[in-house]
Amino acid sequence: MNYLWPIIILISFLFSIFNGNIQNLNNSIFSSVSDVVTLSLTLVGNMCLWCGLMKIIQETKLMNLLIKLLNPILRWLYPKSKDNKEAMEAISINTVSNFLGIGNAATPAGLKAMEELQKENKNKDELSDSMVMLIVLNTTSIQLIPTTVIAIRASLGSLNPSSIILPIWVSTIAGTLTGVILTKILLRRKKV
Amino acid sequence: MIYFSSIIIPLIISIIIFCGLIQNKKVYDIFCEGAKDGIKMTMKMFPTLIGIFLAVGMLRSSGLLEFISNIIGKLVKNFNVPSEIIPLAFIKPISGSASMALATDIISKFGTDTRIGMIAATIMAASETTFYVIAVYMNSVKAKKSRKVIIPALIADVVSIVTAICIIK
């Protein structure tokens, strides 16, 4: 990020001079900053809602059920953290939320998992293996019920809004598998 | 189907609360206790969000993305790839709100059940806003070394977009 961020900003600045777009660029600076404030206000509501519900899940038997259900996959994905109970709980909730297409619930659970994983991380400056896997899985995110897209298609008058599900499954699974395999290779190579 | 997508979240919330009730938990107290964490998390995310939105906003308004996607659109046109979706493929990993606006625009312009409309919808659902996720997650633990996490994430994005283009005829 310390390289990418300045590069994006500087290149954008130079390109907009070359392109005669400098006025747009200037406006975008102020509008992006105020966009964040609007976004954060909705975000804080959603985060609190799902953090609260997550706490209830953790205190009930639902948690054990989730863990039992996901354990075989999660043990393989996060071999170094399989005994970290708090982290695995948060990761389970994060995974289920991604499956169901509730991004609002996935983020607080994912960040909670990062916090727990950081506690067992030996080198705090560097992402641990489990963190890398968690991040990659959240960027590719398998979605079984793509609620937003179906809603958009329905509102634009599609005859069969949910016919999109099959192509989405194939494409999201292809992407996620690629991500997982590449991450496993990347992590293995670094160890040597 | 609209009914289905509206029922899922209320249903999940009800199930969670019901499970708490039958186990005699003080669900409301637990909920409020947990909700406190949400404020802390958002406060932690705020500076990261400002940074990302600033950079993404500048990148979009500079016209650089359109410039690059125009060039790539011309290059891939020969491979039966509709050039209209290239800007979407580009902006999807960078900005969630911008890609949502663009996808809605493409779908309404070309029709929901056309090839381009279907591809746009698939791209929207098949992956997340990669840069945003990486920045927010990394910042949450203040880690400086990313261990090249961006490489598998971006290649996975490319694979899922290419898959979408290939399977939708």
Side-chain angles (χ1 to χ4, degrees), chain A residues 1 4-5 8-9 11-13 15-16 18-19 21 24-25 28-29 32-33 35-37 39-40 43-44 47-57 59-62 94 98 100 102-103 106-112 114-115 118 123-129 131-132 134-136 138-141 143 145-154 156-168 170-172 174-176 178-179 182-183 186-187 189-190, chain B residues 1-2 4-6 8-9 12-13 15-17 19-21 23 25 27-28 30-39 41-46 49-67 100 103-105 107-108 111-114 117-138 140-157 159-161 163-164 167-168:
Chain A
M1 252 352 230
L4 197 63
W5 193 66
I8 292 177
I9 291 184
I11 287 185
S12 305
F13 175 61
F15 191 81
S16 70
F18 158 76
N19 209 9
N21 248 343
N24 280 342
L25 186 85
S28 84
I29 295 174
S32 354
V33 176
D35 278 353
V36 178
V37 177
L39 174 81
S40 299
L43 203 65
V44 81
M47 291 285 246
C48 290
L49 169 68
W50 290 105
C51 281
L53 291 171
M54 208 155 73
K55 191 95 181 173
I56 301 182
I57 298 179
E59 303 248 330
T60 58
K61 288 194 181 112
L62 269 180
N94 173 265
N98 276 330
L100 296 177
I102 321 171
T107 312
L111 295 182
K112 189 114 204 159
M114 289 295 279
E115 241 170 62
Q118 179 74 327
N123 183 357
K124 304 272 182 222
D125 266 354
E126 198 175 270
L127 295 177
S128 71
D129 287 8
M131 292 175 180
V132 173
L134 182 68
I135 293 178
V136 170
N138 272 283
T139 65
T140 62
S141 104
Q143 240 195 62
I145 308 169
T147 36
T148 324
V149 168
I150 291 177
I152 291 178
R153 283 168 56 79
L156 292 174
S158 170
L159 297 173
N160 187 0
S162 47
S163 64
I164 194 73
I165 285 191
L166 197 65
I168 289 177
V170 177
S171 147
T172 189
T176 305
T178 315
L182 286 177
T183 311
L186 179 89
L187 294 178
R189 210 193 50 191
K190 279 275 168 126
Chain B
M1 206 59 207
I2 304 178
F4 182 72
S5 56
S6 320
I8 182 142
I9 290 179
I12 290 171
I13 295 180
I15 292 177
I16 294 171
I17 291 173
C19 282
L21 271 185
Q23 288 179 45
K25 301 281 181 190
V27 274
Y28 185 68
I30 300 173
F31 177 82
C32 292
E33 184 59 38
K36 273 189 217 156
D37 288 347
I39 302 176
M41 277 182 188
T42 320
M43 289 306 282
K44 246 174 146 181
M45 279 170 69
F46 194 79
L49 291 181
I50 293 274
I52 305 173
F53 273 64
L54 176 70
V56 168
M58 286 178 77
L59 187 63
R60 272 172 58 198
S61 59
S62 71
L64 184 63
L65 282 180
E66 287 155 35
F67 183 73
M100 188 52 87
T104 315
D105 185 52
I107 297 173
S108 61
T112 47
D113 300 303
T114 58
M118 299 275 278
I119 295 177
T122 308
I123 292 178
M124 280 315 292
S127 72
E128 273 294 322
T129 315
T130 301
F131 284 99
Y132 172 86
V133 172
I134 294 179
V136 168
Y137 276 61
M138 274 195 66
S140 74
V141 292
K142 304 264 178 304
K144 287 179 193 73
K145 289 185 193 143
S146 72
R147 301 185 61 190
K148 305 198 174 71
V149 62
I150 200 159
I151 296 174
L154 277 185
I155 296 179
D157 282 349
V159 168
S160 71
I161 290 171
T163 314
I167 57 170
I168 299 172

Side-chain angles (χ1 to χ4, degrees), chain A residues 90-107:
Chain A
I91 291 174
S92 306
I93 296 178
N94 173 265
T95 313
V96 172
S97 317
N98 276 330
F99 272 159
L100 296 177
I102 321 171
N104 289 329
T107 312

Side-chain angles (χ1 to χ4, degrees), chain B residues 52-113:
Chain B
I52 305 173
F53 273 64
L54 176 70
V56 168
M58 286 178 77
L59 187 63
R60 272 172 58 198
S61 59
S62 71
L64 184 63
L65 282 180
E66 287 155 35
F67 183 73
I68 298 175
S69 52
N70 275 341
I71 296 176
I72 295 188
K74 277 181 194 132
L75 286 178
V76 294
K77 209 157 189 186
N78 304 324
F79 299 98
N80 194 22
V81 177
S83 56
E84 291 82 0
I85 58 143
I86 298 298
L88 181 65
F90 252 90
I91 208 148
K92 175 64 198 164
I94 302 171
S95 162
S97 53
S99 59
M100 188 52 87
L102 190 58
T104 315
D105 185 52
I106 292 176
I107 297 173
S108 61
K109 201 153 106 198
F110 292 91
T112 47
D113 300 303

